Amino acid sequence: MIAYVTVGADDLARAKRFYSAFLPALDYGLKEGPEGLSYALPVALGQSPVLPDFYVKPTFDGHPASAGNGTMVAFEARTQKQVRDLHAAALAAGGFDDGQPGFRAAYGAHFYVSYLRDPQGNKIALFSDNRDEPGRDG
């Protein structure tokens, strides 16, 4: 199981504005510290953490952060409408469109996805695979 995912950011304020536009709607809470931003799902008392956590941090080597070529982080939304709403919120918060919400022929009939770039250029997907909603073919 993946425990955490980290992306680099040169401007934590811009990154916070972007990620806070949609991660709280997916139940992620934010803790800020000198080491950066830590987004995690809530943990009930006596329960194990729900993974993965998501971190946005300055680089360790002090060089500018860069987006990985071929790297993408995907967050699951509950519905197709939530994908659309969160995509719009992320764009309004400084993100860049990298693929409007919709179905893609290469994926399953219910896989509804949008693609974004955060202010640093990291690729982010928001998707829903909700079988209770209409699929691509109907």
Side-chain angles (χ1 to χ4, degrees), residues 1-134:
M1 173 177 275
I2 296 173
Y4 61 88
V5 174
T6 302
V7 296
D10 294 328
D11 185 335
L12 286 176
R14 283 182 72 200
K16 179 183 176 185
R17 198 167 39 256
F18 174 79
Y19 286 107
S20 292
F22 66 91
L23 286 178
L26 300 177
D27 298 329
Y28 280 83
L30 169 62
K31 289 184 186 174
E32 291 184 72
E35 73 286 345
L37 311 173
S38 299
Y39 290 92
L41 293 166
V43 179
L45 189 61
Q47 298 295 311
S48 297
V50 179
L51 301 173
D53 291 341
F54 184 73
Y55 304 127
V56 183
K57 300 180 178 279
T59 61
F60 287 103
D61 64 8
H63 295 295
S66 62
N69 185 17
T71 302
M72 178 174 55
V73 179
F75 293 96
E76 186 171 8
R78 293 172 193 82
T79 64
Q80 295 167 17
K81 180 181 183 320
Q82 190 176 36
V83 169
R84 291 188 298 274
D85 291 348
L86 297 181
H87 183 90
L91 292 177
F96 302 93
D97 180 52
D98 206 28
Q100 285 290 305
F103 296 106
R104 305 297 193 274
Y107 303 130
H110 290 272
F111 195 83
Y112 189 87
V113 63
S114 73
Y115 298 101
L116 300 150
R117 296 283 177 165
D118 75 2
Q120 195 68 45
N122 295 297
K123 190 169 184 177
I124 304 296
L126 296 167
F127 77 94
S128 173
D129 198 20
N130 186 338
R131 305 298 169 135
D132 293 330
E133 293 189 292

